[in-house]
């Protein structure tokens, strides 16, 4: 394994953290220069017999490798109790005593490559690392002739810092077709992001088909920010997105926004509004001034239908209910609304996630709070965490990917700056437990990089804003706090440039990084 040594002092090496050009930075790298392995046409990808998890991860890896290598790479089973047969093997070891489901090891010897993990997620994380150990052209969408597919020898022992490492994609303000969402999912899988938070509804658009409430998409899906985009996902399309994400080790978290940011629903069903009439579609770039009628039973009848259908299509454990920017609501109304929503989410077997404004109105032990801005309701977030709520940290000044990289320059044609400009270093230079004084560190469940789309149109603009800053958030969520080192990170990000380019991912060539020539 190609290794450089830094003095940052990771926890596994007593003061000299061995690094490979992998993002996120692994916990431990033990190189063996004489133990490289070369993938050949006669190899197979082996998986533990009888394990659906190992079969899934092996099938995903084989699919990734077949096109650029041109090798058949059949997936074969390894009988229980047998050692790795050589070639490439993904072995699920249920006796693994690792405390985190994302833990894994990768061993590369002259005989082959073995990825071991105790759970499905760990195997997919090992695949993500192996992809970055292979030559850059492994990311080619076409067959590459004459390339030696050599993997450097050694061992990687790795585990995530946090169990939740998310990326939020807003498809409500500006609709993104399924093919583009899948492309974004494929990029997330490279960097051990394990949750895709889909913001499906907002003032400007309703993007998920609800068969019992067809007007939500017939009317509410008919526009977007600026009146430019329209569209929605059929239930089959949504299920396909969920399956595509799962096949890459990613769990989808759907968000159904309320009680504000719900104008598209009001335009679809007027009985949801305070005056009982349907307003015209909201095509502005900012939020609507109208929201759901909190005391109206029609509101909860519709939400029952919506949550029932969305929960049935979503095998993951979470359902996000939004709840942000509710300053125009009384505490009594908010307590009523979130109490009713929490009942519905529990009724349909999901765990509730809400933006931080919901924290004061939910049972802490039963919910997850997403913290996005300081100074709004800090004391309530801290109280919820002290009461047992878990917290996902998505700070707008570090992890909102729709912020511009720098001010006032024509090379930043997209994005906004209401939370300030955010360069790559700023995306990297933070610790989740340090953002809010008094927040118990043990309450932090993970991190999320959010990409809002009021002024983002299409996957190319989305990728330009997301990459490379998404890598900084991914590393913050994965690597040990003591291993954070800007110079080492910038070097490893530079190595990702050719890989992103090879895969056709648009990214910003920030001057903070010394990109290789041609990347």
């Amino acid at each position: 394994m190609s290794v450089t040594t830094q003095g940052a002092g990771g926890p596994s090496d007593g003061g000299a953290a061995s690094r490979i050009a992998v993002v996120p930075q692994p916990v431990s790298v033990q190189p063996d220069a004489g133990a490289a392995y070369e993938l050949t046409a006669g190899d197979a990808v082996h998986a533990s017999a009888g394990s659906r998890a190992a079969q899934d991860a092996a099938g995903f890896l084989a699919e990734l490798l077949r096109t650029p290598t041109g090798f058949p790479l059949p997936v074969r089973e390894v009988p229980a109790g047998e050692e790795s047969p050589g070639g490439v093997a993904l072995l699920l070891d249920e006796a693994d005593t690792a405390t985190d489901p994302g833990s894994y090891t990768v061993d590369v010897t002259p005989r082959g490559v073995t990825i071991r993990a105790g759970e499905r997620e760990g195997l997919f994380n090992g695949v993500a690392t192996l992809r970055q150990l292979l030559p850059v052209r492994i990311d080619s969408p076409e067959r590459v002739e004459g390339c030696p597919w050599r993997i450097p020898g050694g061992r990687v022992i790795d585990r995530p810092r946090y169990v939740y490492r998310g990326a939020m994609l807003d498809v409500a303000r500006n609709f993104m077709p399924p093919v583009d969402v899948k492309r974004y999912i494929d990029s997330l899988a490279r960097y051990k992001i394990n949750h895709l938070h889909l913001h499906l509804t907002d003032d400007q658009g309703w993007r998920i088909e609800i068969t019992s409430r067809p007007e939500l998409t017939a009317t509410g899906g008919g526009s977007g920010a600026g009146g430019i985009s329209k569209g929605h996902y059929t239930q089959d399309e949504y299920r396909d997105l969920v399956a595509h994400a799962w096949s890459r080790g990613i769990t989808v978290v759907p968000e159904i926004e309320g009680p504000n940011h719900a104008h598209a629903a009001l335009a679809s069903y007027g009985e949801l509004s305070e005056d009982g009439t349907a307003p015209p579609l909201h095509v502005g770039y900012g939020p609507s001034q109208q929201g759901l009628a909190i005391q109206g039973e029609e509101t909860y009848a519709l939400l029952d239908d919506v949550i029932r259908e969305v929960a049935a299509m979503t095998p993951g454990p979470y359902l996000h209910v939004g709840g942000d920017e509710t300053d125009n609501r009384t505490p009594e109304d908010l307590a009523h609304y979130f109490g009713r929503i929490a009942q519905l989410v529990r009724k349909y077997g999901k765990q509730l996630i809400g933006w931080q404004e919901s924290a004061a109105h939910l049972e802490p032990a039963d919910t997850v709070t997403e913290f996005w801005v300081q100074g709004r309701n800090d004391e309530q977030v801290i109280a919820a965490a002290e009461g047992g709520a878990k917290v996902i940290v998505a700070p707008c000044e570090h992890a909102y990917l729709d912020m511009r990289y720098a001010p006032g320059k024509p090379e930043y044609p997209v994005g906004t700056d209401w939370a300030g400009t955010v360069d790559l270093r700023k995306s990297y230079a933070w610790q989740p437990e340090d953002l809010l004084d008094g927040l118990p560190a043990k309450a932090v469940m993970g991190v999320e990089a959010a990409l809002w789309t009021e002024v983002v149109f299409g996957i190319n603009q989305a990728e330009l804003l997301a990459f490379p800053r998404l890598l900084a958030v991914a590393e913050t969520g994965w690597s040990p706090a003591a291993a954070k080192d800007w110079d080492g990170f910038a070097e490893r990000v530079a190595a990702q440039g050719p890989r992103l380019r090879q895969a056709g991912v648009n990214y910003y060539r920030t001057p903070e990084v010394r990109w290789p020539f041609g990347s």
Side-chain angles (χ1 to χ4, degrees):
M1 294 181 181
S2 176
V3 177
T4 61
T5 301
Q6 303 286 341
S12 62
D13 56 20
S18 296
R19 282 190 168 84
I20 55 178
V22 170
V23 179
Q25 167 69 19
V27 169
S28 173
V29 179
Q30 302 165 13
D32 185 346
Y37 181 76
E38 187 168 324
L39 192 69
T40 67
D43 280 329
V45 179
H46 298 88
S48 296
S51 168
R52 175 64 183 270
Q55 291 284 337
D56 285 352
F60 174 54
L61 177 60
E63 176 188 349
L64 289 173
L65 300 179
R66 284 176 186 136
T67 295
T69 65
F71 301 158
L73 296 172
V75 176
R76 296 173 180 161
E77 291 191 342
V78 179
E82 288 193 13
E83 290 298 313
S84 173
V88 180
L90 287 82
L91 305 180
L92 190 71
D93 184 359
E94 295 182 354
D96 193 317
T97 57
T99 57
D100 192 285
S103 302
Y104 70 93
T105 61
V106 176
D107 288 294
V108 182
T109 72
R111 188 165 177 264
V113 179
T114 304
I115 299 172
R116 294 181 186 273
E119 297 193 29
R120 182 183 193 272
E121 182 182 339
L123 292 175
F124 278 89
N125 290 331
V127 168
T129 290
L130 177 59
R131 293 175 73 177
Q132 295 186 45
L133 297 178
L134 281 154
V136 168
R137 284 183 287 181
I138 203 66
D139 292 299
S140 172
E142 301 176 344
R143 181 173 180 176
V144 179
E145 300 288 349
C147 179
W149 302 108
R150 187 175 183 274
I151 305 164
R155 165 173 267 205
V156 175
I157 304 173
D158 207 5
R159 61 185 177 275
R161 181 180 180 185
Y162 296 114
V163 297
Y164 186 105
R165 303 169 307 280
M168 194 283 301
L169 183 62
D170 172 18
V171 294
R173 270 63 173 271
N174 276 298
F175 181 66
M176 198 169 289
V179 64
D180 289 343
V181 178
K182 287 182 177 181
R183 176 167 153 176
Y184 200 65
I185 289 169
D186 292 346
S187 295
L188 300 180
R190 300 173 185 277
Y191 301 109
K192 303 184 178 72
I193 297 294
N194 64 352
H195 290 85
L196 172 66
H197 168 185
L198 275 180
H199 186 76
L200 291 165
T201 71
D202 212 291
D203 289 324
Q204 291 85 354
W206 186 286
R207 306 304 183 190
I208 178 68
E209 178 188 23
I210 304 298
T211 57
S212 60
R213 301 284 183 156
E215 282 302 316
L216 288 171
T217 48
T219 298
S223 190
I228 295 172
S229 73
K230 62 181 179 179
H232 70 273
Y233 308 116
T234 67
Q235 293 201 354
D236 285 344
E237 288 172 332
Y238 176 77
R239 291 189 187 95
D240 185 54
L241 289 176
V242 170
H244 185 84
W246 181 247
S247 74
R248 284 142 176 78
I250 296 172
T251 298
V252 169
V253 179
E255 180 180 352
I256 305 298
E257 182 72 87
N260 293 355
H261 292 281
H263 191 109
L266 307 185
S268 303
Y269 291 96
E271 60 268 32
L272 304 177
S273 65
E274 294 287 356
D275 65 5
T277 62
L281 288 169
H282 180 74
V283 297
Y285 290 98
S288 167
Q289 299 305 306
Q290 299 186 60
L292 295 171
I294 285 178
Q295 299 300 331
E297 285 303 311
E298 285 294 335
T299 292
Y300 304 102
L302 179 134
L303 288 171
D304 190 300
D305 288 338
V306 170
I307 292 173
R308 181 186 71 251
E309 293 193 29
V310 171
M313 294 185 286
T314 307
Y318 302 114
L319 196 151
H320 204 302
V321 300
D324 60 316
E325 298 185 322
T326 51
D327 295 342
N328 63 330
R329 304 290 191 157
T330 67
E332 294 75 19
D333 273 353
L334 292 174
H336 180 76
Y337 179 82
F338 287 113
R340 297 287 296 270
I341 285 295
Q343 290 175 353
L344 293 175
V345 172
R346 287 193 297 269
K347 175 182 176 180
Y348 293 110
K350 300 301 180 184
Q351 184 173 10
L352 183 149
I353 302 177
W355 293 108
Q356 69 187 67
E357 291 90 330
S358 67
H361 311 290
L362 296 165
E363 288 294 329
D366 193 35
T367 59
V368 178
T369 293
E370 185 157 10
F371 177 77
W372 65 278
V373 65
Q374 293 176 320
R376 184 167 288 262
N377 62 328
D378 298 354
E379 296 81 5
Q380 294 171 348
V381 173
I382 292 168
E386 290 175 340
K390 294 299 182 183
V391 180
I392 297 168
V393 181
C396 57
E397 71 272 25
H398 297 286
Y400 270 30
L401 303 178
D402 48 305
M403 296 302 112
R404 289 179 177 148
Y405 287 90
K409 293 187 177 180
E411 58 262 39
Y412 308 107
V414 295
T416 186
D417 59 3
W418 63 262
T421 56
V422 182
D423 59 19
L424 180 62
R425 186 186 286 264
K426 191 173 182 182
S427 288
Y428 188 71
W430 60 286
Q431 296 287 3
E433 69 275 16
D434 294 342
L435 292 174
L436 186 57
D437 288 342
L439 181 69
K442 66 179 181 180
V444 179
M445 173 179 163
V447 302
E448 188 160 275
L451 181 54
W452 302 97
T453 61
E454 289 98 326
V455 292
V456 180
F457 300 91
I459 187 63
N460 287 331
Q461 290 187 356
E463 288 177 343
L464 182 69
L465 289 165
F467 298 98
R469 292 182 296 187
L470 183 69
L471 280 62
V473 181
E475 180 145 312
T476 298
W478 180 276
S479 304
K484 267 209 167 183
D485 168 61
W486 164 255
D487 291 336
F489 174 69
E491 290 176 6
R492 287 180 288 108
V493 168
Q496 297 303 307
R499 293 185 181 276
L500 292 169
R501 187 179 182 88
Q502 188 75 236
V505 176
N506 195 20
Y507 67 99
Y508 175 58
R509 281 70 166 169
T510 171
E512 302 162 277
V513 170
R514 296 180 63 183
W515 302 100
F517 180 77
S519 69

